[in-house]
Amino acid sequence: MTIKLYNTAKREVETFVPRDPKNVGMYVCGPTVYDTAHIGNARPAVIFDVLARLLRAEYGADHVTYVRNITDVEDKIIDRAAERGISIEELTTETTAQYHADMAALGVGLPDREPKATEHIQGMIDMIQTLIEKGHAYEAEGHVLFDVPSMPDYGKLSGRNRDEMIEGARVEVAPYKKDPADFVLWKPSPGDMHGWASPWGKGRPGWHIECSVMSKAELGEAFDIHGGGRDLIFPHHENEVAQSCCANDDKTFARYWVHNGFLTVDGKKMSKSLGNFFTVRDVLDKSTRLEGCAGEIYRFVLLNTDYRKPLNWTEDGVLNAENSLDTIYTALKSLEGIEADTSQVADGIIHHLSNDMDTPFAIKELIAIAKEANKASDDDEKARLKGLLFSGGNLLGLAQQSLDDWFKGSKNSVGGADGLSGEDIDNLIVERVDAKKNKNFARADEIRDSLKDQGIILEDSPQGTTWKRA
């Protein structure tokens, strides 16, 4: 297949040509682990999980290295740990574990490598020293700053002019700066504040230098794809370009820059003050589905809008996702017992995913296959379609749940005191069958209606009665 991606640096869709097809490298900015991930944080994790799956399908899993970092050095982390009265290590360990659990619930696999900023402090000090030696950085009042005017093409990634850089960005105004656009590479840590020894005194790195160093350590000075949310284009990614291109011998750095769009809730920016701020854990806990099923529904929502466009999170969108997945799982249920060959992926799904990750249309293709499978009568055709459902689902990270979990799995209907167990429901179905045999239709209807009120739908067929969650 020919993969095409929108390259932010070129402002156009380009054919992806890796530096080395046997060593494809992708670096994506990961979480800053001071708090649990919100649904906006989940969007890039899901999007780049799909891109990693696509790259592995094309070049082979052994030839793709997907790196997603953990930022565990940042002022928000220091502040939050102090606020909670716990150590920084305790906070970052706890938050990283929660991030992994939340992303796993969304079907997001771990990257091939996951460096932590704290593991690369010496590399950051070394790169900063190199920038000073090359005339691209200077020390001032315990800080080390990047000298923006020393790089004539600074701003080439974002396309911002100088006024936009200063006025529209999170630029700290400080008297020790030579130029208002200069940004911090190293900052002092006074007193007992968390920090490391350096040639410029005890301190801690600036945010931008972390990714420049971690990407170099894991993938080399130049690699194929750098990804993240579009909110990172400026200043974070712009500053990464500046640091890496000025410090490294290879000035290429990342060849393709891929960015996903923003996420809103009911058409508004997420905000705690508006009451529309949701963490991944919030939405998972809110769902009556088992966690894996709920996570797949939310994954569907995140993939059902063009990744470069704004995504509006709504309850209708969640309901549509659940109904669409129901169509897919219903088809798979009808194909139980059929052997499937998953070595082939539907041409339509490949076409859309390789065309700048058009996941909404790839999903439409998957649903179309499911509908076709529901009508199929020939066993060979059923086997072919089942294989296409599984192979396409694997690329998208959908249709990954067991049929039992999908149709019967509910926090309120599986075991325990919160609701009926599967055994309870099966026993009521047997009682209903007996009631109908004895012409006690009132009792049969009573059982059906009672189960319906509890979110359990009975489906009668010549083969017997089955049930699923409403």
Side-chain angles (χ1 to χ4, degrees), residues 14-190:
E14 293 186 315
T15 297
F16 174 68
V17 181
R19 291 166 55 88
D20 177 1
K22 294 189 179 300
N23 291 286
V24 180
M26 178 169 70
Y27 182 92
V28 175
C29 290
T32 299
V33 286
Y34 72 99
D35 205 349
T36 52
H38 56 69
I39 54 176
N41 300 139
R43 193 180 191 194
V46 169
I47 291 297
F48 289 103
D49 179 71
V50 171
L51 181 52
R53 290 168 187 251
L54 184 65
L55 293 171
R56 289 169 185 146
E58 174 63 10
Y59 298 101
D62 293 341
H63 303 302
V64 175
T65 303
Y66 172 26
V67 181
R68 185 186 67 206
N69 77 291
I70 295 288
T71 296
D72 58 350
V73 181
E74 219 271 343
D75 288 357
K76 289 179 182 177
I77 295 173
I78 296 173
D79 293 342
R80 182 59 56 84
E83 177 186 312
R84 291 184 54 187
I86 61 177
S87 70
I88 288 172
E89 183 179 7
E90 185 177 352
L91 173 66
T92 57
T93 299
E94 171 193 309
T95 310
T96 299
Q98 184 64 64
Y99 179 81
H100 286 155
D102 290 346
M103 294 308 110
L106 297 175
V108 175
L110 287 171
D112 298 301
R113 299 177 191 169
E114 191 176 52
K116 295 179 180 178
T118 51
E119 300 168 343
H120 292 271
I121 298 298
Q122 186 56 53
M124 297 173 202
I125 291 171
D126 292 344
M127 182 174 280
I128 292 169
Q129 287 182 307
T130 298
L131 288 168
I132 292 173
E133 292 167 3
K134 291 187 174 183
H136 293 293
Y138 60 93
E139 183 181 1
E141 298 183 20
H143 296 73
V144 181
L145 297 107
F146 185 87
D147 186 355
V148 168
S150 73
M151 184 181 185
D153 58 354
Y154 180 83
K156 62 184 178 181
L157 174 64
S158 63
R160 293 187 180 221
N161 62 38
R162 182 165 181 76
D163 290 340
E164 289 172 326
M165 289 179 201
I166 297 172
E167 294 173 11
R170 296 168 290 178
V171 174
E172 180 187 0
V173 177
Y176 49 77
K177 287 185 175 185
K178 290 182 180 180
D179 187 279
D182 293 350
F183 58 89
V184 172
L185 301 172
W186 189 265
K187 62 182 79 173
S189 294

Side-chain angles (χ1 to χ4, degrees), residues 343-382:
S343 62
Q344 299 297 315
V345 182
D347 290 342
I349 292 176
I350 288 291
H351 168 75
H352 291 300
L353 286 182
S354 61
N355 184 23
D356 195 27
M357 286 193 294
D358 190 347
T359 54
F361 275 88
I363 287 173
K364 287 183 180 179
E365 291 284 343
L366 194 67
I367 294 171
I369 294 169
K371 290 179 177 178
E372 192 178 347
N374 279 327
K375 301 174 185 176
S377 56
D378 178 75
D379 282 351
D380 288 341
E381 179 67 358
K382 287 181 178 180

Side-chain angles (χ1 to χ4, degrees), residues 194-230:
H194 193 61
W196 291 263
S198 80
W200 319 287
K202 179 187 171 188
R204 59 205 190 279
W207 175 34
H208 314 303
I209 195 69
E210 296 177 11
C211 285
S212 282
V213 171
M214 285 186 281
S215 62
K216 178 181 178 179
E218 299 291 353
L219 296 173
E221 291 188 353
F223 52 93
D224 295 304
I225 299 170
H226 196 315
R230 63 175 298 107

Side-chain angles (χ1 to χ4, degrees), residues 207-267:
W207 175 34
H208 314 303
I209 195 69
E210 296 177 11
C211 285
S212 282
V213 171
M214 285 186 281
S215 62
K216 178 181 178 179
E218 299 291 353
L219 296 173
E221 291 188 353
F223 52 93
D224 295 304
I225 299 170
H226 196 315
R230 63 175 298 107
D231 57 312
L232 299 182
I233 297 174
F234 190 90
H236 185 52
H237 288 166
E238 191 73 75
N239 291 349
E240 278 189 68
V241 172
Q243 296 159 163
S244 297
C245 289
C246 289
N248 298 335
D249 293 330
D250 191 320
K251 308 303 180 185
T252 308
F253 193 36
R255 300 172 68 237
Y256 299 85
W257 288 85
V258 181
H259 295 95
N260 64 273
F262 298 113
L263 183 146
T264 59
V265 176
D266 292 325

Side-chain angles (χ1 to χ4, degrees), residues 444-463:
D445 290 346
E446 182 185 6
I447 292 171
R448 180 199 62 205
D449 293 342
S450 175
L451 288 172
K452 184 178 180 181
D453 289 342
Q454 296 177 75
I456 306 300
I457 303 300
L458 301 184
E459 295 181 340
D460 295 320
S461 72
Q463 289 74 40

